[in-house]
Amino acid sequence: MQQPIHDTEGLGAVIRAERKAQGLRQPDLAAVAGTSVRFVVEVERGKPTAQIGKVLELLRQLGLRLAVDGLSESGPADGA
């Protein structure tokens, strides 16, 4: 399933939905990902400052992967 994600809230919603679909509780996911329950809660709520490495581990434990696609052929929108 491919799903566009535009912000941290969207990413959190995908993580929450997949966790629930797998019948996992937040403590279960935290345990297998080696993080705290609080971290899982914050990511699922869309915390914008969550550590990317830990978020990637949550995704890996859920069997999800992150892909990046270009929005346009002209490069970044901000010219960076």
Side-chain angles (χ1 to χ4, degrees):
M1 136 186 100
Q2 288 187 348
Q3 181 172 345
I5 305 221
H6 303 287
D7 52 32
T8 55
E9 290 84 7
L11 182 58
V14 167
I15 290 171
R16 181 176 49 254
E18 184 61 27
R19 174 183 59 77
K20 288 183 174 188
Q22 292 185 26
L24 296 171
R25 297 175 311 120
Q26 289 170 329
D28 301 330
L29 179 55
V32 297
T35 190
S36 68
V37 175
R38 180 178 176 166
F39 182 79
V40 173
V41 169
E42 289 175 345
V43 168
E44 289 185 356
R45 288 184 181 162
K47 181 178 180 182
T49 58
Q51 294 178 21
I52 190 67
K54 289 182 179 182
V55 172
L56 292 173
E57 182 60 19
L58 292 179
L59 292 169
R60 189 178 79 74
Q61 291 298 329
L62 290 169
L64 300 173
R65 64 186 171 118
L66 184 65
V68 178
D69 291 329
L71 296 176
S72 70
E73 293 184 25
S74 62
D78 63 2

